[in-house]
Amino acid sequence: EPEVTQTPSHQVTQMGQEVILRCVPISNHLYFYWYRQILGQKVEFLVSFYNNEISEKSEIFDDQFSVERPDGSNFTLKIRSTKLEDSAMYFCASSGPATNTGELFFGEGSRLTVL
Amino acid sequence: GDSVTQMEGPVTLSEEAFLTINCTYTATGYPSLFWYVQYPGEGLQLLLKATKADDKGSNKGFEATYRKETTSFHLEKGSVQVSDSAVYFCALVTGTASKLTFGTGTRLQVTL
């Protein structure tokens, strides 16, 4: 069964360092997303991406964040200068070509720890 | 804005016990409602959904009914199994937007 894959599963970084989280969405999907969950808190929407551009982003997704689909298969989230409060589980998701119905397919998540 | 409130976990049950995980919501529009589940070591998976009032979503023995009058979408299962141990997330989406609004998740632990 097709699945969304994310790497790395866990990354530890120093505050101020750049981090890139990678995702391979399901191959025929057209919509891509990043969500995050700070420990003990809600899963929060960060950004959605369609047709090679951001379609929606949350207030969390400030200038420190960027997304890219560099090669038609990977979908990346970059954090330019990490802060302690960026420590969280980051989930990538994708959805199919039909009009969105809220049925997203999620990866296992990448846990980011900022020291 | 939209929000989802779930009961605090963890919920610990014996196998074959009845499960209820409460979920209530507030939404500016007319939402579609979802339950996602995350098994250990896996990503979130759609468990069931309901798109309009009084709809009942069901899957794998789990059910939830969209109650507009009480703005609720409680998850139930008549007889849980150890394999149901997971984190369960209630979520909503309004309009045609793809931005899901999630609750905090409720961890379910089922023991023999």
Side-chain angles (χ1 to χ4, degrees):
Chain A
E1 186 174 326
E3 59 181 17
V4 175
T5 57
Q6 290 185 240
T7 54
S9 56
H10 188 194
Q11 181 156 357
V12 180
T13 190
Q14 295 292 323
M15 191 169 56
Q17 295 296 304
E18 176 183 282
V19 162
I20 297 176
L21 304 179
R22 291 182 168 80
C23 170
V24 179
I26 293 173
S27 61
N28 67 338
H29 283 183
L30 301 178
Y31 299 85
F32 313 110
Y33 314 86
W34 284 100
Y35 286 76
R36 77 172 187 189
Q37 186 179 29
I38 295 170
L39 189 63
Q41 298 185 25
K42 298 187 177 189
V43 177
E44 303 171 291
F45 170 80
L46 293 179
V47 65
S48 59
F49 192 87
Y50 171 72
N51 200 26
N52 284 318
E53 61 183 22
I54 290 173
S55 49
E56 190 170 0
K57 61 183 181 178
S58 71
E59 292 175 355
I60 303 166
F61 195 87
D62 62 21
D63 292 343
Q64 291 298 314
F65 291 89
S66 62
V67 290
E68 193 177 33
R69 190 157 160 80
D71 56 14
S73 61
N74 289 284
F75 179 53
T76 62
L77 174 69
K78 181 191 290 186
I79 308 174
R80 289 189 182 82
S81 178
T82 51
K83 303 187 284 286
L84 294 176
E85 54 265 36
D86 294 328
S87 295
M89 180 72 88
Y90 288 81
F91 293 103
C92 174
S94 67
S95 63
T99 301
N100 169 65
T101 60
E103 295 186 45
L104 274 58
F105 293 79
F106 285 83
E108 295 178 19
S110 294
R111 181 171 298 284
L112 175 64
T113 302
V114 182
L115 302 176
Chain B
D2 298 343
S3 68
V4 174
T5 302
Q6 286 182 240
M7 62 188 291
E8 293 279 333
V11 173
T12 303
L13 295 173
S14 299
E15 202 170 42
E16 299 184 2
F18 184 85
L19 168 71
T20 300
I21 299 178
N22 290 337
C23 171
T24 57
Y25 67 89
T26 59
T28 52
Y30 196 157
S32 294
L33 304 173
F34 306 85
W35 278 99
Y36 277 80
V37 59
Q38 186 178 27
Y39 298 104
E42 300 184 17
L44 283 78
Q45 306 170 21
L46 179 65
L47 178 62
L48 53 84
K49 69 173 185 178
T51 57
K52 60 183 188 295
D54 300 326
D55 266 3
K56 179 185 285 188
S58 61
N59 186 24
K60 299 182 181 180
F62 291 89
E63 293 183 339
T65 301
Y66 189 142
R67 300 286 188 203
K68 190 166 185 286
E69 64 276 14
T70 54
T71 62
S72 65
F73 193 55
H74 303 323
L75 182 68
E76 296 182 336
K77 186 173 185 182
S79 175
V80 293
Q81 305 300 310
V82 171
S83 57
D84 294 326
S85 298
V87 181
Y88 292 83
F89 294 89
C90 187
L92 66 81
V93 66
T94 53
T96 57
S98 55
K99 184 178 69 175
L100 284 167
T101 298
F102 283 92
T104 51
T106 302
R107 182 175 298 280
L108 170 65
Q109 182 73 43
V110 181
T111 59
L112 290 171

